[in-house]
Amino acid sequence: SGQNSNYMLAQVNNIDFSDVDICSIMTGMNDGGHSVSIDTYKQNIRNMIDKIQGDNPLCRVFLLAPTFGWYRDGVGVYEEFTVDTYANAMQEVALEYNVPFYDNYHLNGINKNNYTKYMVDDTSQVPYLIHPNLEGYKIIGKQVARFIHSKL
């Protein structure tokens, strides 16, 4: 928790992908929360793809948009913490690189009407609901697995 695409890129640069068949990249929520610029975000994703495909041109890279999240305002009400700008930026990079993109932001089914059922954060300790619980991960995981399978 708390890592953004700057951190992810540093991690990716330390991995050898020569024997990896499939790799997914999902980032953006913490980029939005930590004010990483869209240009930096997009370049970080490009650099990750370049590193992965540089190690293994046959590795299939999948980009997964960040999900919805909610942040508590000063009076205790959660408002949608939108990172749609980051989701759209990731989609632009996917088009540039011709790699599959899954829009978790709009398609995963977790929304303002049901998010409390699928988020795990303890709002007495933190002012947000952005981390899925087990049930939330099951929903996201099934959809992402179905998407990846459909592209292989």
Side-chain angles (χ1 to χ4, degrees):
S1 178
Q3 286 84 19
N4 57 35
S5 64
N6 294 320
Y7 176 84
M8 256 182 103
L9 176 58
Q11 297 302 307
V12 165
N13 283 333
N14 290 318
I15 298 171
D16 177 3
F17 291 90
S18 58
D19 291 325
V20 176
D21 296 321
I22 298 171
C23 183
S24 63
I25 299 171
M26 182 177 170
T27 184
M29 180 62 76
N30 288 323
D31 292 272
H34 294 225
S35 301
V36 173
S37 76
I38 292 299
D39 289 338
T40 298
Y41 175 72
K42 287 170 71 172
Q43 191 57 49
N44 287 343
I45 295 169
R46 288 183 191 110
N47 291 343
M48 286 184 243
I49 296 170
D50 289 342
K51 166 64 166 98
I52 294 163
Q53 292 182 335
D55 286 355
N56 181 356
L58 299 177
C59 182
R60 296 289 309 270
V61 177
F62 292 85
L63 297 184
L64 312 174
T67 61
F68 272 122
W70 289 264
Y71 196 87
R72 184 175 58 220
D73 69 11
V75 295
V77 176
Y78 286 89
E79 294 184 8
E80 196 174 308
F81 175 66
T82 59
V83 291
D84 61 324
T85 304
Y86 293 90
N88 293 338
M90 180 179 273
Q91 186 172 27
E92 290 172 19
V93 174
L95 290 170
E96 284 175 35
Y97 279 80
N98 195 29
V99 297
F101 168 79
Y102 183 74
D103 190 356
N104 265 315
Y105 186 80
H106 294 102
L107 300 177
N108 73 10
I110 299 173
N111 57 54
K112 63 184 174 183
N113 298 315
N114 64 12
Y115 68 92
T116 57
K117 179 178 179 182
Y118 300 113
M119 298 294 168
V120 71
D121 300 298
D122 179 353
T123 56
S124 69
Q125 302 294 316
V126 295
Y128 51 75
L129 282 171
I130 60 174
H131 298 101
N133 60 22
L134 184 58
E135 195 62 31
Y137 276 121
K138 283 181 185 176
I139 289 171
I140 295 167
K142 284 179 183 178
Q143 291 177 350
V144 168
R146 195 174 303 127
F147 171 75
I148 291 173
H149 182 64
S150 77
K151 300 296 181 186
L152 297 178

